[in-house]
Amino acid sequence: MLTLTRSDRSNPTGLNNEFEYCGHTYRINLAYDTVLSFYELLEDDHFSDEEKVAVAFQMFFDSQEINADDKFQIEAFKVISRYLNEDPYISADGDDSEAEGNVTSPRYYSFKQDAEAIYASFYEQYGIDLLYQKQKMHWDQFKALFAGLGPKTYFMRIVQIRQEDVTKLEGKAQQEMIRAQQRYALEDDQTQEAVQDQIANFGNMLIAIAKS
């Protein structure tokens, strides 16, 4: 059985960074930029399904000596997919509403399309230059800081524009908001919600490849 564990030995912060499978422990690369690269890989049509699997495995497991048979890969990415799609703010009854000022739904943002706004907002609020955090900042850390971005940051202002109900506005204010929404509009297949669906389907693709 393969499970995602938190290692106190190699990572004192206790962040997720190891897999256990059949009694063996494997280091997994869950740096924030690795996860974001995986998201981009899923929607890259230049790669075949088989190539995506090979590249993704290399991303997460680096150059470790692993006997990556079909069962290992299927189980590994099943757990990785579930981990990446976890949302600590969804309640037991499925309500994913959040406190005012936080990101409320993955359909209102895209890590790819909003990359510059997210970069600027991290620097603005935390003084963190994400370019210097590649292969340093863990996905858990990035996700927590991302969720904590305040309503006045560049990124969150864009999210608020997308969420605005223009029917509640009138005249010039309505026209300006419509233009702003057009400027920052997301393609349906670019939203983080769409990416999460792609991650969920990644496991099915692996199974199909294994059976072929």
Side-chain angles (χ1 to χ4, degrees), residues 3-15:
T3 57
L4 185 62
T5 64
R6 297 176 185 270
S7 171
D8 294 328
R9 300 187 307 275
S10 59
N11 190 347
T13 63
L15 296 173

Side-chain angles (χ1 to χ4, degrees), residues 1 18 21 36 48 81 84 99 111 132 159 166 174 209:
M1 181 62 183
E18 290 184 350
Y21 182 73
L36 295 183
S48 67
S81 298
L84 294 181
F111 283 124
Y132 290 97
V159 172
V166 295
Q174 185 183 60
I209 292 173

Side-chain angles (χ1 to χ4, degrees), residues 16-191:
N16 294 294
N17 70 327
E18 290 184 350
F19 273 111
E20 288 185 359
Y21 182 73
C22 295
H24 296 282
T25 300
Y26 303 95
R27 185 183 69 259
I28 182 170
N29 182 344
L30 287 171
Y32 88 92
D33 51 303
T34 297
V35 175
L36 295 183
S37 294
F38 175 58
Y39 288 159
E40 290 191 30
L41 174 67
L42 291 177
E43 58 180 299
D44 193 331
D45 294 332
H46 293 94
F47 292 94
S48 67
D49 289 346
E50 290 82 359
E51 289 172 332
K52 286 183 180 181
V53 171
V55 173
F57 198 86
Q58 182 66 26
M59 281 181 177
F60 288 115
F61 291 96
D62 297 326
S63 58
Q64 299 173 77
E65 293 295 328
I66 299 175
N67 181 20
D69 57 19
D70 292 337
K71 184 178 180 181
F72 183 97
Q73 290 185 344
I74 291 171
E75 291 299 320
F77 283 108
K78 184 186 299 182
V79 176
I80 291 173
S81 298
R82 184 164 61 245
Y83 165 71
L84 294 181
N85 279 344
E86 280 181 353
D87 188 339
Y89 299 105
I90 294 180
S91 62
D93 59 3
D95 181 9
D96 65 349
S97 59
E98 301 175 26
E100 182 178 356
N102 286 341
V103 178
T104 57
S105 171
R107 66 178 176 272
Y108 290 115
Y109 67 90
S110 163
F111 283 124
K112 181 178 180 180
Q113 188 169 326
D114 295 325
E116 291 186 3
I118 293 170
Y119 171 86
S121 297
F122 266 65
Y123 197 84
E124 174 187 0
Q125 179 163 316
Y126 304 118
I128 294 175
D129 188 329
L130 285 173
L131 292 179
Y132 290 97
Q133 292 300 317
K134 289 184 176 181
Q135 296 302 301
K136 295 179 181 179
M137 181 182 290
H138 192 280
W139 178 247
D140 285 353
Q141 294 171 306
F142 175 85
K143 188 167 60 173
L145 293 171
F146 175 75
L149 289 174
K152 294 183 179 180
T153 59
Y154 180 30
F155 168 72
M156 283 307 303
R157 293 201 305 272
I158 292 175
V159 172
Q160 290 162 3
I161 288 171
R162 291 171 181 156
Q163 293 175 314
E164 187 70 41
D165 184 356
V166 295
T167 63
K168 295 181 179 180
L169 303 176
E170 296 180 351
K172 183 178 180 181
Q174 185 183 60
Q175 293 173 2
E176 290 179 346
M177 183 56 64
I178 290 174
R179 285 196 293 269
Q181 287 185 338
Q182 291 173 340
R183 177 183 178 185
Y184 295 113
L186 288 171
E187 297 292 336
D188 290 340
D189 62 350
Q190 291 293 312
T191 66

